[in-house]
């Protein structure tokens, strides 16, 4: 079910977006002195990563003197690969990858924490709803995730283990998000799965399924995961951050301006700033999807104090790489730039 590499590269080329003028040509090791930055997003049209595109739409990158190229991959795990290989300078993806990478010997840190809840929901197809009423029923099921090793995969495994289902007792299926996820649900190749808005809103609106576990708000995160779960973030290689502090500060300034703007505007006003093709299910449904997800975002880009510990506890519950590993949480994020 993985997206073929050729197809992924073609899709990637199609959705390359540039903040001002021509595309930024900075490679992973470049000095970015001209302000050219490449950021890979784990799905540009997902509401959980909305601040990336919105920052561009509001002109805040340009105002900081940055030429930012936003690239997109269907899942955060693929975005992480681009960062580690040096193809991009930053990723807008889930913070949990910084812990996973640290135990693999890669030092990556969140420099702007965009969200303090996952923004994810476990949905179930209507035709499977009778036999799938909670995560306790995951056993024997095929459950959709954006990609294997993605944050949707991580969270699905945690919900399973927390509810007495071993990770080898169900099958995670990589189905991406949006139409590919919806099609898999319709065709019965998955009985349920973990996804985000606007996919959730479209599934509910089309009466194809319903929400089983809602983690789009801090309250929902608390119920499902036992605490705040910092998710969407701008994360970068620590070495690059330390050697490009001026550029990172400008990025942080732009993102924090966006978060503050979002906190003082309605979902409809936010939707109006986004590209029209992001509203796949129509303008009203897209605005509703943003409204349902807005509570997940921080207003200042600061990491919630007890967030990293929640993420570590969740990952250690099922991830053999992390279970017995020692993680230095202080090295997985910094508040230096957002507090300035």
């Amino acid at each position: 079910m993985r997206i073929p590499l050729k197809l992924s590269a073609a899709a990637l080329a199609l959705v390359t977006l540039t903040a001002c003028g021509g595309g930024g040509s900075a490679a992973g090791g470049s000095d970015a002195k001209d302000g050219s930055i490449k950021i890979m997003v784990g799905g540009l049209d997902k509401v959980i990563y909305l601040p990336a595109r919105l920052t561009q739409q509001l002109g805040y990158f340009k105002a900081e003197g940055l030429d930012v190229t936003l690239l997109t991959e269907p899942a955060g795990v693929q975005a992480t690969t681009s960062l580690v290989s040096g193809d991009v300078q930053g990723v807008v993806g889930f913070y949990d990858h910084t812990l996973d990478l640290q135990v693999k010997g890669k030092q990556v840190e969140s420099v702007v924490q965009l969200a303090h809840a996952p923004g994810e929901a476990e949905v179930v197809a209507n035709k499977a709803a009778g036999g799938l009423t909670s995560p306790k029923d995951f056993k024997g099921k095929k459950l959709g995730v954006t990609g294997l090793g993605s944050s949707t995969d991580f969270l699905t495994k945690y919900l399973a283990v927390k509810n007495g289902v071993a990770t080898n007792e169900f099958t995670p299926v990589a189905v991406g998000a949006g139409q590919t996820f919806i099609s898999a649900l319709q065709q019965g190749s998955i009985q349920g799965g973990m996804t985000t808005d606007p996919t959730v809103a479209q599934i509910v609106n089309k009466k194809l399924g319903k929400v089983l576990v809602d983690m789009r708000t801090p309250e929902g995160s608390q119920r499902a995961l036992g605490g705040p779960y910092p998710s969407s973030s701008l994360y970068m290689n620590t070495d690059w951050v330390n050697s490009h502090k001026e550029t990172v500060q400008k990025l942080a300034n732009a993102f924090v301006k966006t978060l503050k703007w979002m906190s003082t505007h309605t979902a409809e006003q936010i939707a109006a700033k986004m590209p029209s093709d992001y509203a796949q299910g129509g303008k009203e449904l897209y605005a509703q999807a943003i409204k349902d997800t807005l509570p997940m975002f921080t207003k200042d880009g600061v990491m919630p104090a007890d967030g990293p510990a929640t993420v570590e506890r969740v990952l250690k519950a099922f991830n053999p790489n992390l279970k017995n590993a020692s993680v230095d949480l202080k090295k997985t994020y910094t508040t230096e730039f957002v507090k300035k």
Side-chain angles (χ1 to χ4, degrees), residues 129-150:
L132 185 51
T133 59
S134 83
K136 290 177 182 176
D137 300 323
F138 281 2
K139 191 173 181 177
K141 304 294 190 296
K142 289 182 179 178
L143 302 172
V145 295
T146 51
L148 301 179
S150 66

Side-chain angles (χ1 to χ4, degrees), residues 20-41:
C20 54
S25 59
S30 108
D31 60 9
K33 279 179 183 170
D34 61 351
S36 295
I37 300 288
K38 284 182 183 175
I39 296 175
M40 185 67 78
V41 185

Side-chain angles (χ1 to χ4, degrees), residues 31-33 35 37 64-66 240-254 336-337 340:
D31 60 9
K33 279 179 183 170
I37 300 288
E64 291 289 334
L66 297 172
W240 200 91
V241 171
N242 291 337
S243 58
H244 298 81
K245 290 201 171 190
E246 190 179 331
T247 301
V248 177
Q249 186 62 60
K250 289 176 179 178
L251 284 168
N253 294 347
E336 174 189 347
F337 303 97
K340 281 184 183 174

